Amino acid sequence: MSQPGVPSSGGASTGLQVQNGAASSLGSPYVNGPVQNALMSSQVSVSQGYNSQLPGPYPHLMPAKTSLNPVSAQNNYGGSQTVCTLSNYQGPGQTLNRPPMVSNPVTTSLHSGPVPRMPPPTSQIPAATSMPSGSFLAGVNLPPPLNWQYSSPSTGSQTNHCPHPSSQPSISGNTNVTTNHQHVFSGDPSLQNSCLKSGSVPSLVNPPATTFQPGTPLGPPPVKGPPPVRALAPQKSSHSAVLQPSFNSAINQEGGTSNTSNESMVVHNSYDEIEGGGFLATPQLTNKNPKMGRNVGYSYPSLPPGYQNTPLPGTTGMPPSSLNYPSGPLAFNQTPVGANHLTASVHGLSLHPEGLRVINLLQERSMLPTTPLQPPVPNLHEDIQKLNCNPELFRCTLTSIPQTQALLNKAKLPLGLLLHPFKDLVQLPVVTSSTIVRCRSCRTYINPFVSFLDQRRWKCNLCYRVNDVPEEFMYNPLTRVYGEPHRRPEVQNATIEFMAPSEYMLRPPQPPVYLFVFDVSHNAVETGYLNLVCQSLLDNLDLLPGNTRTKIGFITFDSTIHFYSLQEGLSQPQMLIVSDIEDVFIPMPENLLVNLNESKELVQDLLKTLPQMFTKTLETQSALGPALQAAFKLMSPTGGRISVFQTQLPNLGVGALKPREEPNQRSSAKEIHLTPSTDFYKKLALDCSGQQVAVDLFLLSGQYSDLASLGCISRYSAGSVYYYPSYHHQHNPVQVQKLQKELHRYLTRKIGFEAVMRIRCTKGLSIHTFHGNFFVRSTDLLSLPNVNPDAGYAVQMSVEENLTDTQLVSFQSALLYTSSKGERRIRVHTLCLPVVSTLNEVFLGADVQAISGLLANMAVDRCITASLSDARDALVNAVIDSLSAYRSLVLSNQQPGLMVPFSLRLFPLFVLALLKQKSFQTGTNTRLDERIFAMCQVKNQPLVYFMLTTHPSLYRVDNLSDEGALNINDRTIPQPPILQLSVEKLSRDGAFLMDAGSVMMLWVGKNCGQNFLNHVLGVQNYASIPQTMTDLPELDTAESARTIAFISWLREQRPFFPILYVIRDESPIKANFLQNMVEDRTESALSYYEFLLHIQQQVNK
Amino acid sequence: MVLPRGPRAAFPRCPRRCSSPAMAFTFAAFCYMLALLLTAALIFFAIWHIIAFDELKTDYKNPIDQCNTLNPLVLPEYLIHAFFCVMFLCAAEWLTLGLNMPLLAYHIWRYMSRPVMSGPGLYDPTTIMNADILAYCQKEGWCKLAFYLLAFFYYLYGMIYVLVSS
């Protein structure tokens, strides 16, 4: 009786202990310890008994192992380490099943039992002291190796049990034996290895009993005592159930162990010892699971058994059953896994049962959260997650990476990364060190997710090579302690910047060089932009990022090209005209690009006179191509940035273009010219890229200017494109303000020169396609002549080799650039994500914003290679395919309606928003250039801003209150809820603010309260709201203060300055406002509900 | 059991050979010999192509350089192939021509659908690193190599056959 119970208990306990051990060993966050504590509290009496009996916590765990066959035990070993993660993972799923389990008192009792045991050992272990968390759990303190053993024995026992139930009783007796092993391990890593091996040997099995002696105090006896009683009744059921969970864990462990562990087991142990302290504390939370179990509510109906992952032969024997899940609690304990790898744990999901819900979109209408949507948290252990890269910098469309390409294909979701690598950061650790520690084979930079095998060696988390830790790295400059490589900032920060030594330079770092190229044809002078740009430049001349070496130069062009000599000592700038545009040459070798500091007065002179110089020009032609060639020649010796201002279609010399827009065709999806008409600009851009020159294009044009062709110059030289349709200094004040604000940002923002970015990923994954503005120089290397903080990139990935042996995958982006101060720097971001084996987990980890962003990028490519209508179909199909995959492969019971996982609840909405976005919309009169500009933005914008432009946030602002307001620096910022983008949410007696990223629109209803009009807008009545109002007056009223605080808070969150339009009913911009109401029906597009019905129809087909 | 050898037995070469025992150097034989030589050249093109894309995939070469070396070779390859297709047409070797037509059509389609570029050639350094395109080009290279190799032996056979039978 007791025996069956015992084994189960033993297994369970082992599982728990394993977690503890793992946590301690890994230093990883495994919470198991804490969880156990919770359990303990509930079952205090039992656990205590255990503790007292057990001298060391380990022994208890061991018992389960005894039962194992030697061989199986070995397998388990490997498996056990990894197991933890899986078990954790499953946790949520388990919870569902659990309810039945709960009914069995046994399991819980068992858990509690092990927990208490753990604490005693802590005292024994000297290592424990180092651990911060040690105080709460002795178990935690235990050396990693212990964990190992624990898990291994437990797993072994479990596996054995399954196949041979009969064996269990005997096993239970033996359980103590295993404990001995544990001791050994704890003592010394190397010893552990030996132990393990011995354990594996059949003969050893018996020995365990003997070994067990050392553990004399061992739990086994105690274990049997109290727990068995409870266990007995449940045993049968628990038996299978327990075993299974353990099994899962074992499986997981195997994966982990097989990969890394076998060779490096010792190492891991050491690592754990070293780093364990750091991680310990957090894990507890996860385990507190009794709650977790309740959370379980969600089901992974179709989850395959955990062991699927495992390649182990032994495991195969086990039947995958739902039972595994029920065992959930046990599984938790096991989580500790990972020996080497920081294993992933369930936390994210488990903590948010909401995330496990399946939603019928046709029934639940308001899925849009009232606060900004947060990216999902990868299902990693807290301690790992805490170190993970900020999702604003680096995020993945699937926070749980599917194990195989087949699984990925089944999910029909795109796998990719979205990066914002050069984002302005408030806090960025910068490391200056003569040697930058990198993997010797794959050149990965050392990062928080590597494992230290011992103090002298670390194992790369991308290619698994074991590297030496250099001598310098042993010293931690922060704490000034020697021998703590794992505490160095490189290993504590997922985002870090290195000062690169000279090996990272092909040439001395270039000076910042800025060249401005202005269109001064008649058309350009008409728009009056030159005045504004020159004024803006004058104002920001001192703010240009740079140092004493900064160089600046100017070129203007119409049908000829004008250079300006700014030689020091000249009384005024000298203009040189080159009229031979067929064969452009540089009229003088020097003084066209001058040192800004030395010739500042001349530059200011020039900027003041430039706008007046061409006021009477009659030249209407524009030789942009030759001007760009000239600029390139001027810049090629140094590299730098060319800013081109163009106001019309270039029509002279090389690169001349022909108008090819057919206004009547604007609204149809066919036959529009999205591809460049010439490769001149592309080739020039590639030449520029080769010379580290980037070209930024400012297009201020009323007519068609063939941005599709012109844009190439920026696209492949890593520049950016700005477009101001119908710019005019008098007729279009809104554009003027926009240009002014954006110019200010453009001129003063950070800039990196001669940059390259390489993206590395764990072996098995490979990069499929890059999206953004750059030139792809090799499979993983982007050439970025300039990098700016407002550029985002996307990368499509594919799974090339199965990741079955891997628990975690990492992605690392390394951006090597020259700062404006002339330093060579490397900015490294590392992202770590768990690998999962089931479709349901893939869906649960989906990041809907990132998916939408990546899909938009892919759709832009599709527009260019195929057609717009093709791209639109592809977008819709992406939703249909993934939701029908979810329906048919994950949901076991086919319910009517449109069932989506919680993580994808906004997927149809975002795709609908994409279809109505300027890039992809049809049926409206979108100018071709505007559409292409929108596409450029899709490719070049960071995800956050892109999502805002696609699906703006709508707030009601006429009734702002301080309820729920944020307090930042003594400022109170009201937080109105985000409304759905539907006219039904608007009302005539309110005022609504729509935040669309680069623009904000404040729509004021006809019957809006007098209070708002007077106190916020500062007007007498509705009719007196000016036609174009782009500023709110600062009035001395509470309402005004709140509104302004809210708007400026929104603005502060982004680097550019969104312009605010106040819109009345008659305003022409109202159409824009209403166009963003993506949930509503328009003449040519479906409403959200119709779209859902369409999808449902397709999905249920 | 023994299968009847119908078609072979019925092949009309016996009588002809009897009529002219000496081997005659016909235009068709000349075509085959020429095709044989040119196909050998095409095989080298195909191997070069495969190596080039492999180098791209393994990071050894800059895509711009690689495209610059590959692009000038595209048209010559297509022209060589088209040239001996025409020769076979003139020699009225219908079967051989028929075997080559699909490749000829593919070449025409491929060149028609090339990206916008001013020079000759197919490969655009900005898109060539795309995994799909890279994989496609590699596969294309292997398929062509296989085709040319088979064609090489076929021409050899055809040449001997024509020489012997005429």
Side-chain angles (χ1 to χ4, degrees):
Chain A
M1 70 81 187
S2 63
Q3 290 178 347
V6 170
S8 68
S9 67
S13 66
T14 55
L16 293 173
Q17 290 180 352
V18 171
Q19 289 183 346
N20 295 333
S24 64
S25 67
L26 293 179
S28 64
Y30 304 120
V31 184
N32 299 330
V35 172
Q36 291 180 349
N37 287 340
L39 293 173
M40 289 179 63
S41 63
S42 62
Q43 303 171 351
V44 173
S45 63
V46 174
S47 65
Q48 289 181 349
Y50 276 84
N51 292 336
S52 64
Q53 291 180 349
L54 295 177
Y58 317 108
H60 290 289
L61 296 175
M62 298 307 287
K65 295 177 180 178
T66 57
S67 65
L68 295 175
N69 298 335
V71 175
S72 64
Q74 288 181 345
N75 291 337
N76 292 334
Y77 274 125
S80 66
Q81 291 182 346
T82 51
V83 173
C84 299
T85 54
L86 289 176
S87 62
N88 288 338
Y89 207 22
Q90 293 176 352
Q94 292 177 353
T95 52
L96 287 175
N97 297 333
R98 268 198 157 193
M101 292 301 294
V102 172
S103 64
N104 298 337
V106 175
T107 56
T108 56
S109 67
L110 292 173
H111 289 291
S112 64
V115 174
R117 294 172 187 175
M118 294 303 290
T122 55
S123 64
Q124 293 179 346
I125 298 168
T129 56
S130 65
M131 312 289 270
S133 63
S135 64
F136 60 23
L137 286 184
V140 175
N141 295 334
L142 294 177
L146 293 176
N147 292 333
W148 232 93
Q149 292 180 346
Y150 281 131
S151 64
S152 66
S154 68
T155 57
S157 66
Q158 291 176 352
T159 55
N160 291 334
H161 288 298
C162 290
H164 314 287
S166 63
S167 65
Q168 293 180 349
S170 63
I171 293 169
S172 64
N174 293 336
T175 53
N176 297 334
V177 174
T178 53
T179 56
N180 294 332
H181 287 290
Q182 292 178 348
H183 285 290
V184 175
F185 288 113
S186 63
D188 191 341
S190 65
L191 291 177
Q192 291 178 351
N193 289 337
S194 65
C195 288
L196 292 173
K197 293 175 182 177
S198 65
S200 65
V201 177
S203 65
L204 290 178
V205 174
N206 294 334
T210 59
T211 50
F212 150 97
Q213 294 171 352
T216 51
L218 295 177
V223 171
K224 290 178 181 178
V229 177
R230 294 180 183 177
L232 290 175
Q235 285 177 349
K236 293 178 182 179
S237 62
S238 65
H239 210 24
S240 60
V242 171
L243 292 176
Q244 290 178 350
S246 63
F247 194 74
N248 292 338
S249 65
I251 294 170
N252 295 334
Q253 292 177 349
E254 285 185 358
T257 48
S258 63
N259 290 339
T260 44
S261 59
N262 289 340
E263 30 168 65
S264 61
M265 292 177 51
V266 175
V267 176
H268 291 300
N269 292 335
S270 64
Y271 174 64
D272 291 343
E273 292 175 359
I274 298 173
E275 290 226 63
F279 294 114
L280 296 176
T282 45
Q284 296 179 346
L285 296 176
T286 41
N287 288 341
K288 304 203 165 180
N289 294 320
K291 300 167 188 172
M292 299 285 294
R294 292 167 199 157
N295 295 344
V296 179
Y298 98 73
S299 59
Y300 286 82
S302 58
L303 277 182
Y307 56 85
Q308 289 182 344
N309 299 340
T310 61
L312 294 177
T315 56
T316 54
M318 297 300 288
S321 65
S322 61
L323 292 178
N324 294 336
Y325 297 104
S327 63
L330 298 177
F332 281 127
N333 299 332
Q334 295 173 348
T335 47
V337 174
N340 346 341
H341 303 281
L342 320 169
T343 37
S345 69
V346 194
H347 287 269
L349 294 177
S350 63
L351 294 178
H352 306 288
E354 174 81 333
L356 307 175
R357 269 174 63 205
V358 177
I359 287 168
N360 186 345
L361 279 182
L362 291 176
Q363 277 170 9
E364 303 187 47
R365 266 221 70 193
S366 52
M367 289 319 303
L368 191 72
T370 55
T371 52
L373 188 62
Q374 295 301 317
V377 179
N379 194 9
L380 290 169
H381 196 276
E382 251 175 68
D383 290 343
I384 307 174
Q385 182 51 36
K386 168 175 89 185
L387 294 171
N388 226 342
C389 199
N390 181 347
E392 282 181 17
L393 302 174
F394 205 157
R395 66 203 271 190
C396 184
T397 55
L398 303 176
T399 56
S400 302
I401 303 290
Q403 217 171 36
T404 61
Q405 182 71 35
L407 188 60
L408 177 59
N409 292 344
K410 264 196 232 162
K412 304 275 185 193
L413 291 171
L415 173 62
L417 305 170
L418 288 117
L419 293 90
H420 188 183
F422 204 55
K423 184 178 169 33
D424 292 320
L425 295 173
V426 182
Q427 245 194 332
L428 175 68
V430 179
V431 172
T432 313
S433 157
S434 55
T435 52
I436 295 174
V437 182
R438 302 174 67 179
C439 173
R440 277 170 62 196
S441 67
C442 68
R443 309 300 292 150
T444 298
Y445 295 82
I446 197 165
N447 60 71
F449 312 108
V450 303
S451 43
F452 280 89
L453 304 187
D454 54 39
Q455 288 209 351
R456 285 294 180 177
R457 290 180 304 158
W458 61 278
K459 180 183 239 171
C460 175
N461 53 337
L462 268 63
C463 68
Y464 305 122
R465 181 195 162 100
V466 176
N467 294 278
D468 293 334
V469 176
E471 185 60 31
E472 291 133 279
F473 202 72
M474 297 297 293
Y475 176 73
N476 184 350
L478 281 189
T479 58
R480 303 193 177 173
V481 173
Y482 184 84
E484 280 190 343
H486 57 285
R487 295 212 187 263
R488 280 183 59 109
E490 291 93 326
V491 190
Q492 291 293 322
N493 294 287
T495 293
I496 194 159
E497 191 154 286
F498 296 97
M499 305 289 294
S502 54
E503 302 99 89
Y504 292 84
M505 302 169 194
L506 293 173
R507 57 175 185 177
Q510 69 164 78
V513 183
Y514 305 107
L515 178 64
F516 294 89
V517 180
F518 297 118
D519 178 4
V520 292
S521 61
H522 179 73
N523 188 47
V525 173
E526 268 300 290
T527 64
Y529 84 91
L530 209 51
N531 234 327
L532 176 79
V533 174
C534 289
Q535 190 54 45
S536 196
L537 250 175
L538 265 178
D539 296 343
N540 293 308
L541 212 49
D542 295 327
L543 300 175
L544 279 178
N547 53 12
T548 52
R549 298 197 300 157
T550 308
K551 286 175 148 188
I552 195 167
F554 299 89
I555 290 178
T556 56
F557 67 95
D558 39 31
S559 61
T560 57
I561 300 168
H562 324 129
F563 297 85
Y564 297 87
S565 165
L566 301 164
Q567 189 181 4
E568 213 181 347
L570 283 179
S571 59
Q572 61 174 44
Q574 193 180 5
M575 182 161 124
L576 304 147
I577 299 178
V578 173
S579 53
D580 181 7
I581 56 169
E582 295 306 315
D583 181 20
V584 183
F585 61 93
I586 305 292
M588 59 195 296
E590 288 170 340
N591 301 324
L592 297 179
L593 279 176
V594 293
N595 186 300
L596 179 57
N597 287 345
E598 290 165 10
S599 306
K600 188 173 268 176
E601 282 171 15
L602 276 178
V603 170
Q604 284 168 337
D605 256 17
L606 176 64
L607 287 173
K608 281 175 196 152
T609 54
L610 204 54
Q612 276 73 52
M613 285 165 70
F614 300 97
T615 44
K616 299 202 177 73
T617 183
L618 294 174
E619 189 55 74
T620 54
Q621 289 185 304
S622 162
L624 176 65
L628 282 173
Q629 284 180 325
F632 166 65
K633 282 188 183 169
L634 199 54
M635 296 287 277
S636 54
T638 51
R641 181 175 80 186
I642 301 176
S643 314
V644 183
F645 293 79
Q646 171 72 11
T647 61
Q648 58 173 317
L649 194 68
N651 49 14
L652 198 63
V654 286
L657 300 169
K658 291 192 176 62
R660 44 178 192 152
E661 183 187 38
E662 292 154 57
N664 304 334
Q665 297 276 326
R666 275 179 188 167
S667 60
S668 79
K670 308 174 230 166
E671 295 300 317
I672 55 173
H673 299 283
L674 299 171
T675 49
S677 58
T678 166
D679 69 339
F680 168 78
Y681 294 99
K682 175 157 65 180
K683 283 166 81 175
L684 186 59
L686 292 181
D687 291 340
C688 287
S689 173
Q691 300 299 324
Q692 307 296 350
V693 176
V695 184
D696 293 331
L697 178 66
F698 289 79
L699 189 59
L700 315 102
S701 170
Q703 294 104 40
Y704 174 72
S705 305
D706 202 351
L707 188 57
S709 304
L710 286 184
C712 289
I713 188 75
S714 295
R715 178 163 171 205
Y716 299 111
S717 68
S720 32
V721 177
Y722 296 83
Y723 181 46
Y724 305 89
S726 311
Y727 181 90
H728 194 279
H729 67 294
Q730 281 171 337
H731 305 154
N732 204 341
V734 171
Q735 294 286 9
V736 174
Q737 194 185 358
K738 186 164 177 241
L739 174 62
Q740 192 176 12
K741 296 289 185 189
E742 294 192 352
L743 256 186
H744 173 72
R745 165 71 184 165
Y746 173 76
L747 293 172
T748 57
R749 73 187 176 190
K750 230 180 118 144
I751 184 169
F753 295 98
E754 44 185 3
V756 289
M757 181 162 76
R758 197 181 284 275
I759 296 172
R760 299 183 173 88
C761 46
T762 297
K763 203 166 69 178
L765 293 171
S766 70
I767 292 170
H768 187 276
T769 309
F770 292 99
H771 300 279
N773 288 359
F774 45 66
F775 172 59
V776 186
R777 216 158 63 190
S778 81
T779 43
D780 59 351
L781 185 70
L782 303 180
S783 156
L784 302 164
N786 280 186
V787 59
N788 71 69
D790 302 335
Y793 304 90
V795 187
Q796 267 171 269
M797 312 282 306
S798 55
V799 183
E800 243 177 22
E801 297 164 32
N802 289 353
L803 299 166
T804 29
D805 296 340
T806 316
Q807 294 285 303
L808 299 174
V809 292
S810 302
F811 304 92
Q812 186 171 73
S813 82
L815 177 72
L816 172 64
Y817 68 97
T818 302
S819 75
S820 53
K821 306 287 177 218
E823 299 156 329
R824 201 78 173 134
R825 289 165 169 248
I826 310 163
R827 188 173 292 189
V828 178
H829 305 286
T830 315
L831 176 71
C832 179
L833 294 173
V835 176
V836 298
S837 59
T838 66
L839 203 53
N840 193 32
E841 289 164 303
V842 173
F843 276 109
L844 289 177
D847 179 343
V848 69
Q849 286 182 306
I851 289 174
S852 311
L854 186 62
L855 279 178
N857 274 299
M858 293 161 70
V860 170
D861 276 359
R862 182 66 72 87
C863 285
I864 290 163
T865 56
S867 69
L868 183 58
S869 51
D870 225 46
R872 287 172 56 88
D873 290 347
L875 282 174
V876 179
N877 288 338
V879 185
I880 294 172
D881 289 348
S882 59
L883 294 189
S884 38
Y886 183 73
R887 183 187 171 86
S888 58
L889 300 174
V890 176
L891 293 180
S892 47
N893 49 340
Q894 300 287 325
Q895 298 156 309
L898 184 58
M899 309 306 290
V900 300
F902 186 76
S903 58
L904 292 180
R905 67 197 184 283
L906 296 175
F907 193 26
L909 178 61
F910 285 166
V911 168
L912 182 66
L914 280 179
L915 293 175
K916 295 184 177 181
Q917 214 241 12
K918 238 178 204 149
S919 322
F920 308 112
Q921 69 188 4
T922 53
T924 50
N925 203 358
T926 311
R927 297 207 303 195
L928 188 48
D929 277 346
E930 284 187 46
R931 186 189 294 276
I932 289 168
F933 177 65
M935 290 183 175
C936 293
Q937 292 290 86
V938 169
K939 287 253 174 180
N940 196 34
Q941 260 184 335
L943 181 65
V944 194
Y945 313 130
F946 170 68
M947 284 316 293
L948 261 187
T949 41
T950 307
H951 188 274
S953 307
L954 183 67
Y955 306 92
R956 179 165 185 161
V957 291
D958 63 320
N959 54 359
L960 291 178
S961 72
D962 287 344
E963 196 181 323
L966 281 182
N967 269 304
I968 301 175
N969 299 337
D970 300 335
R971 286 165 53 209
T972 306
I973 296 142
Q975 296 289 298
I978 294 179
L979 305 174
Q980 283 168 278
L981 291 172
S982 167
V983 172
E984 113 193 32
K985 297 287 173 189
L986 301 179
S987 73
R988 281 180 181 278
D989 50 5
F992 295 85
L993 178 74
M994 177 184 283
D995 173 14
S998 55
V999 15
M1000 291 184 184
M1001 289 177 267
L1002 178 63
W1003 179 79
V1004 185
K1006 252 205 173 86
N1007 306 327
C1008 183
Q1010 200 61 33
N1011 191 32
F1012 184 78
L1013 294 177
N1014 294 343
H1015 291 163
V1016 177
L1017 298 179
V1019 293
Q1020 285 305 312
N1021 52 44
Y1022 186 76
S1024 56
I1025 298 175
Q1027 191 64 246
T1028 52
M1029 180 174 177
T1030 56
D1031 271 315
L1032 291 184
E1034 292 210 23
L1035 302 176
D1036 196 16
T1037 60
E1039 292 85 352
S1040 172
R1042 278 196 206 111
T1043 313
I1044 288 178
F1046 179 60
I1047 290 174
S1048 51
W1049 175 73
L1050 288 175
R1051 280 176 172 161
E1052 281 162 18
Q1053 291 176 337
R1054 58 207 73 162
F1056 42 85
F1057 183 89
I1059 291 184
L1060 176 77
Y1061 300 89
V1062 179
I1063 301 173
R1064 314 190 285 179
D1065 260 356
E1066 315 85 70
S1067 304
I1069 315 174
K1070 194 188 167 196
N1072 289 359
F1073 182 78
L1074 293 180
Q1075 212 165 50
N1076 281 329
M1077 291 294 179
V1078 296
E1079 295 198 19
D1080 290 335
R1081 179 172 191 169
T1082 64
E1083 302 128 29
S1084 54
L1086 299 176
S1087 73
Y1088 182 46
Y1089 190 72
E1090 289 168 325
F1091 186 65
L1092 287 178
L1093 285 179
H1094 171 69
I1095 291 179
Q1096 185 207 9
Q1097 199 186 359
Q1098 298 291 318
V1099 165
N1100 294 356
K1101 231 194 259 176
Chain B
M1 87 173 193
V2 179
L3 286 170
R5 306 169 149 220
R8 276 219 163 174
F11 218 72
R13 74 185 169 184
C14 257
R16 271 179 126 197
R17 195 201 290 182
C18 302
S19 66
S20 62
M23 293 203 297
F25 192 77
T26 62
F27 180 65
F30 171 74
C31 285
Y32 276 116
M33 290 171 75
L34 198 65
L36 205 58
L37 290 174
L38 292 178
T39 306
L42 288 182
I43 289 173
F44 282 107
F45 274 85
I47 292 175
W48 173 254
H49 179 96
I50 291 169
I51 293 175
F53 279 95
D54 192 65
E55 279 177 339
L56 264 188
K57 199 165 193 178
T58 48
D59 281 10
Y60 289 128
K61 284 273 176 76
N62 181 323
I64 299 179
D65 299 342
Q66 204 64 296
C67 287
N68 287 343
T69 57
L70 281 173
N71 276 333
L73 296 179
V74 173
L75 269 189
E77 182 195 333
Y78 289 7
L79 290 178
I80 288 172
H81 185 253
F83 170 69
F84 63 70
C85 283
V86 173
M87 296 287 279
F88 284 126
L89 180 69
C90 298
E93 290 290 327
W94 304 118
L95 176 63
T96 312
L97 185 65
L99 290 176
N100 275 295
M101 282 316 285
L103 184 62
L104 190 66
Y106 171 76
H107 280 165
I108 292 170
W109 170 81
R110 185 98 161 89
Y111 209 77
M112 299 290 281
S113 59
R114 73 183 191 135
V116 176
M117 52 198 296
S118 46
L122 285 176
Y123 307 109
D124 176 356
T126 58
T127 56
I128 201 165
M129 294 309 292
N130 179 303
D132 285 336
I133 294 178
L134 208 55
Y136 177 84
C137 290
Q138 276 188 307
K139 206 184 290 171
E140 184 193 36
W142 284 109
C143 290
K144 274 193 181 174
L145 180 64
F147 180 86
Y148 290 144
L149 275 175
L150 288 176
F152 181 82
F153 291 109
Y154 172 78
Y155 298 148
L156 193 63
Y157 165 82
M159 181 185 74
I160 294 170
Y161 175 75
V162 170
L163 284 176
V164 168
S165 62
S166 53

